[in-house]
Structure formats: structure tokens, C-alpha cells
Amino acid sequence: ERAVLKDYRLVFNQPGIPFLEPSFANIEPAEGEYIEGVLYEITGTEMTALDLSEGGGAYDIVTSRVEGEQSGPVTAHTFMTTIVATGLLPSERYMNLLITGAEEHGLSTEWIRMLKDAPFHKGPISKHLSPVIRAVNRAAVRLGLPHPFSWWKKRQVERSKQTKR
């Protein structure tokens, strides 16, 4: 069902895969703002699989209070990370996934417009190479190997820290 997470905002500050998926979605506290999304009931096994598919620990799983369209206020688990970098943009492919999902689930026209108006990065990597890079990344995470692009994340986080000084 559709749901709203109040007092948070959607940001794209989770470092991703260089040139292909420069950043991924994240949430951060923001009084008076909100995030629209979809509330699912899943098992512990499904949550473990979802965490693995989202980078196997790339995010912290936090407990939040969301307002379900049918259920009303419920306790839910959301993904959030504090290991962030500034100045990154999501890929066009990634934004199109978010927009398509928002449309398919009937999120508000205001929310969909915000997603469509958000800036994105048009990566130089060939569309033919993208699936290969994603498959290698997924395989490494599933096998328990270090994330193949952890160096990118560290580099982007350090760069952000230096910029703030």
C-alpha cells in the first residue's frame, strides 16, 4: 500500500558505482518534509535478501513510523546510511526506475513531478556494459567478497569531508 514517511527527505548521497550508478537513494531527517513510497509486509528471510540486493550492509536498517494509506500509522523498517557524499547525482536509468515505480503504485502527481524534475547523471558507460558491471557487483556481494567499488565510496566520502573543511 502507498505510505508516507514524515520528517524525512529523499536524497541521492549514497555513493554507488563510478560512471554507471554514481549515487543511490537515501533518506535523511528533515522536519516538515516527507517521502512517498510503498509499504510492504515481508518475512525476515525476504528482508535479508532485500538487504543483500541493496549492497549487503550498504545501508543501516532503521525503524521508522510511516503512515500507510490503509493501515494508518505503522512501524516499518527503512534503509538509511550515514556514510554519504555530497555532489553526486543518480543515473538516468536509476531515476527512471524510481519514476516508473512511483507511477505504477499510484504515488501523488506532486511526488512523481519532483522525481521527474530531479537532476541526474548521463553516464558515458555503454548500455551494453552496464548489465555486466551490475552482475559482477551482485555476484561479489552474494559471495561475501568485498564490494568491488568500495574504493569509490571511500573516495567520495573523503572528498565530501575535505570540501566541508
Side-chain angles (χ1 to χ4, degrees):
E1 72 183 275
R2 291 183 296 263
V4 174
L5 175 61
K6 294 179 181 175
D7 295 324
Y8 281 84
R9 79 172 131 241
L10 178 66
V11 292
F12 297 95
N13 61 3
Q14 160 76 342
I17 301 168
F19 310 110
L20 178 64
E21 299 290 354
S23 70
F24 294 114
N26 191 18
I27 63 173
E28 66 182 17
E31 192 172 328
E33 295 191 42
Y34 67 94
I35 298 171
E36 289 189 31
V38 181
L39 182 62
Y40 287 92
E41 185 173 351
I42 62 175
T43 67
T45 302
E46 290 168 329
M47 186 64 164
T48 300
L50 182 59
D51 182 37
L52 186 61
S53 76
E54 291 297 320
Y59 294 94
D60 298 320
I61 300 171
V62 296
T63 302
S64 303
R65 205 73 180 141
V66 302
E67 185 77 28
E69 184 177 66
Q70 297 157 3
S71 304
V74 295
T75 300
H77 298 292
T78 58
F79 290 97
M80 182 173 111
T81 184
T82 55
I83 303 170
V84 298
T86 57
L88 299 175
L89 295 174
S91 72
E92 180 177 25
R93 183 200 75 84
Y94 189 75
M95 287 307 298
N96 285 334
L97 288 174
L98 295 180
I99 293 163
T100 299
E103 290 171 340
E104 287 176 356
H105 289 92
L107 301 186
S108 74
T109 54
E110 294 83 13
W111 187 256
I112 293 168
R113 173 59 39 216
M114 182 278 300
L115 292 173
K116 287 181 175 180
D117 290 345
F120 59 85
H121 175 72
K122 283 194 174 198
I125 300 290
S126 162
K127 289 184 180 182
H128 301 291
L129 189 55
S130 297
V132 174
I133 293 171
R134 276 194 289 282
V136 168
N137 187 52
R138 273 194 304 274
V141 171
R142 285 191 178 124
L143 292 171
L145 300 172
H147 192 285
F149 298 103
S150 59
W151 61 271
W152 166 261
K153 179 183 262 188
K154 288 176 188 171
R155 179 174 173 257
Q156 296 304 318
V157 169
E158 282 304 313
R159 183 185 291 174
S160 289
K161 287 178 184 176
Q162 290 173 358
T163 304
K164 289 179 183 177
R165 291 182 196 157

